């Protein structure tokens, strides 16, 4: 199974096998899909899965697509690009993660930033920050300038929710696509290469797109847009032309209200499959890719109550795609270990803080097993749950407590891990994160 991709990325879908060098967390009012990977042809960046995780990543190292879409971010699924592996030395079971708040930088945004994506937009080797501002129809980009950020704001559609990053027009610069929930559309913003974006196209979607990933679903080398829709209860695909334009969407109906989205090859056939959680049915549906970009329903997997976001990653280090969902009304994360053939073991539920929403999977401590990072909207905390060789996950390590935690993203901030938090005060906070 190919667990890496190189040309596109996502905020709310997340699929991380190799250790990453950044953790981005979104803190907002309460509510980035996550997890995905593609083959080493198109270039995608992570942003998810639920997601994801967010919210995908670009480069040869395995990474997440989110959501994404938990994207968010995605996972998706998924949002980092050119991921750099951390030390391969296995960490001791007593590993701990801390956030150095004293090193924080503040990035002003628009109103009510929800989905945050990190990716290197200007090619300087350092991740930049993209935030969708749901209350004023804008996206804020913060370009990293050492210890500060240079910001720009772009008008998109109504209620921009999650974003994905990838090279959609073949010029080797990472572009941005944004799912507009109330606008029933996706805004495409092309990158000049310097990090300056130009809105160039709007792709109509089904009603209520929440999560988004950029992946090559039909194997033609071009990144395609995939969105999950809470209002329509569908997953839609808009095939990319490789020139920055996209065809009309084709939809697959899925039962229930879909909030997250993740993309990964779950059955080992080399094609990118999808997974979506249903808020109303307390399930995850796996969609199997035919290879042409059309999908058929696979396994329907029970989860905890109200699975909000979804992430895909390798939690046990066996190289197979596993699924996790944040269950907002059950105060838990459901972990479903994959068998590599498109089927999954029954869910193991990991207790969390109250009302978990944002979720990502990444190897924080270099032991080759995916750890959970969860945004818990009840107490307003973001916590890490490290995987263990002799059991599922260790007890929570609270990374931050800022109130209204909403989403979690994994990116590749160089040269150290970074904690990135967006909040209702219209700002994004960046601070150093250390795991040892």
């Amino acid at each position: 199974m190919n667990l890496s991709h190189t040309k596109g990325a996502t905020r709310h879908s997340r699929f991380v096998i190799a250790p990453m060098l950044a953790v981005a967390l979104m803190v907002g009012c309460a509510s980035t899909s996550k997890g995905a990977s593609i083959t080493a042809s198109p270039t995608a960046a992570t942003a998810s899965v639920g997601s994801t995780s967010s919210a995908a990543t670009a480069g040869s190292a395995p990474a997440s697509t989110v959501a994404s879409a938990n994207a968010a971010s995605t996972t998706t699924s998924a949002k980092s690009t050119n991921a750099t592996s951390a030390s391969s030395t296995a960490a001791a079971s007593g590993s701990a993660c801390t956030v150095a708040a004293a090193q924080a930088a503040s990035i002003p945004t628009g109103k009510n930033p929800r989905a945050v994506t990190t990716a290197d937009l200007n090619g300087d080797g350092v991740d930049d920050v993209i935030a969708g501002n749901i209350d004023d129809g804008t996206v804020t980009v913060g370009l990293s300038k050492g210890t500060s950020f240079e910001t720009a704001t772009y008008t998109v559609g109504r209620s921009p929710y999650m974003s994905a990053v990838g090279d959609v027009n073949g010029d080797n610069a990472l572009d941005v696509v944004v799912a507009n929930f109330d606008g029933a559309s996706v805004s495409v913003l092309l990158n000049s290469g310097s990090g300056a974006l130009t809105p160039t196209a709007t792709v109509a979607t089904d009603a209520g797109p929440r999560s988004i990933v950029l992946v090559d679903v039909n194997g033609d080398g071009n990144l395609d847009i995939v969105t999950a829709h809470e209002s329509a209860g569908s997953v839609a695909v808009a095939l990319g032309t490789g020139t920055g334009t996209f065809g009309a969407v084709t939809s697959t109906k899925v039962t229930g209200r879909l909030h997250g989205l993740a993309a990964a090859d779950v059955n080992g056939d080399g094609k990118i499959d999808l997974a979506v959680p249903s808020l109303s049915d307390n399930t995850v549906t796996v969609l199997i890719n035919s290879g042409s970009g059309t999908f058929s329903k696979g396994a329907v997997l029970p989860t905890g109550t109200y699975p909000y976001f979804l992430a895909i990653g390798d939690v046990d280090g066996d190289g197979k795609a596993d699924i996790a969902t944040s269950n907002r009304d059950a105060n838990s994360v459901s972990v479903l270990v994959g068998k590599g053939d498109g089927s999954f073991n029954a869910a193991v539920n990991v207790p969390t803080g109250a009302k978990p929403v944002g979720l990502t999977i990444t190897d924080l401590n270099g032991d080759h097993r995916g750890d959970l990072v969860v945004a818990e909207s009840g107490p307003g905390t973001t916590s890490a749950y490290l995987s263990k060789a002799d059991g599922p996950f260790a007890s929570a390590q609270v990374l931050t407590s800022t109130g209204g935690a909403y989403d979690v993203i994994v990116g590749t901030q160089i040269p150290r891990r970074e904690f990135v938090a967006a909040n209702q005060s219209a700002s994004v906070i960046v601070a150093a994160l250390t795991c040892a």
Side-chain angles (χ1 to χ4, degrees):
M1 177 177 71
N2 193 320
L3 299 181
S4 67
H5 63 251
T6 61
K7 190 179 175 184
T10 305
R11 141 93 184 70
H12 257 5
S13 53
R14 293 139 195 171
F15 188 1
V16 180
I17 303 299
M20 308 288 292
L21 289 184
V23 175
L25 299 99
M26 172 170 194
V27 183
C29 61
S31 139
T32 271
S33 106
K34 305 163 179 184
S37 78
I38 64 178
T39 57
S41 47
T43 300
T46 351
S48 291
V49 263
S51 352
T52 206
S53 198
S54 318
T57 71
S60 57
S64 65
T65 319
V66 247
S68 357
N70 126 94
S73 233
T74 21
T75 239
T76 231
S77 4
K79 284 195 192 135
S80 59
T81 183
N82 300 323
T84 304
S85 296
S87 169
S88 61
T89 303
S93 59
S95 297
C97 298
T98 59
V99 170
Q103 300 178 27
S106 179
I107 306 171
T109 68
K111 296 179 180 178
N112 199 358
R114 289 295 185 93
V116 173
T117 302
T118 59
D120 181 9
L121 294 180
N122 58 0
D124 64 356
V126 179
D127 270 3
D128 309 302
V129 176
I130 305 112
N133 307 308
I134 196 168
D135 284 352
D136 63 9
T138 65
V139 169
T140 297
V141 172
L143 297 180
S144 179
K145 301 294 181 181
T147 58
S148 62
F149 290 82
E150 178 183 288
T151 62
T153 300
Y154 302 91
T155 299
V156 289
R158 292 172 56 205
S159 306
Y161 202 74
M162 297 178 185
S163 62
V165 181
D167 179 13
V168 302
N169 62 348
D171 64 355
N172 296 317
L174 292 175
D175 309 303
V176 178
V177 294
V178 183
N180 304 307
F181 179 75
D182 286 330
S185 65
V186 170
S187 297
V188 179
L189 297 90
L190 297 184
N191 187 352
S192 66
S194 66
L197 304 179
T198 302
T200 59
T202 300
V203 180
T205 68
D206 296 341
R210 282 290 191 193
S211 296
I212 184 169
V213 297
L214 275 174
V215 287
D216 180 9
V217 297
N218 62 350
D220 65 354
N222 301 322
L223 288 175
D224 309 307
I225 293 173
V226 185
T227 47
H229 305 86
E230 182 176 352
S231 303
S234 64
V235 172
V237 175
L239 296 179
T241 63
T243 63
T245 61
F246 296 84
V249 300
T250 57
S251 300
T252 301
K253 188 69 176 178
V254 181
T255 302
R257 296 166 51 207
L258 310 182
H259 200 278
L261 173 66
D265 177 13
V266 302
N267 61 355
D269 65 357
K271 300 163 188 161
I272 298 304
D273 309 304
L274 304 172
V276 287
S278 170
L279 298 174
S280 50
D281 293 351
N282 303 324
T283 59
V284 167
T285 298
V286 177
L287 300 175
I288 301 300
N289 190 351
S290 67
S292 64
T294 59
F295 294 84
S296 59
K297 288 185 181 179
V300 178
L301 311 166
T303 67
T305 306
Y306 215 73
Y308 211 75
F309 285 136
L310 173 148
I312 298 181
D314 183 8
V315 301
D316 56 0
D318 66 355
K320 299 170 184 174
D322 308 314
I323 292 174
T325 63
S326 56
N327 308 315
R328 195 193 70 178
D329 292 355
N331 301 334
S332 68
V333 168
S334 293
V335 178
L336 303 102
V337 174
K339 300 178 181 179
D341 59 0
S343 64
F344 294 80
N345 291 323
V348 173
N349 294 316
V350 180
T352 67
K355 297 189 179 302
V357 283
L359 169 68
T360 193
I361 301 173
T362 184
D363 182 4
L364 291 173
N365 57 1
D367 65 357
H368 305 294
R369 294 189 300 271
D371 308 305
L372 305 176
V373 184
V374 184
E376 297 148 340
S377 62
T381 55
T382 304
S383 300
Y385 298 80
L386 301 183
S387 61
K388 302 188 298 181
D390 59 349
F393 294 90
S395 299
Q397 296 182 26
V398 176
L399 300 178
T400 186
S401 180
T402 56
Y406 175 74
D407 192 20
V408 184
I409 289 304
V410 174
T412 53
Q413 186 71 7
I414 301 171
R416 63 191 187 282
R417 288 189 176 94
E418 290 295 301
F419 170 87
V420 181
N423 54 55
Q424 280 184 286
S425 63
S427 65
V428 171
I429 305 300
V430 181
L433 171 68
T434 301
C435 294

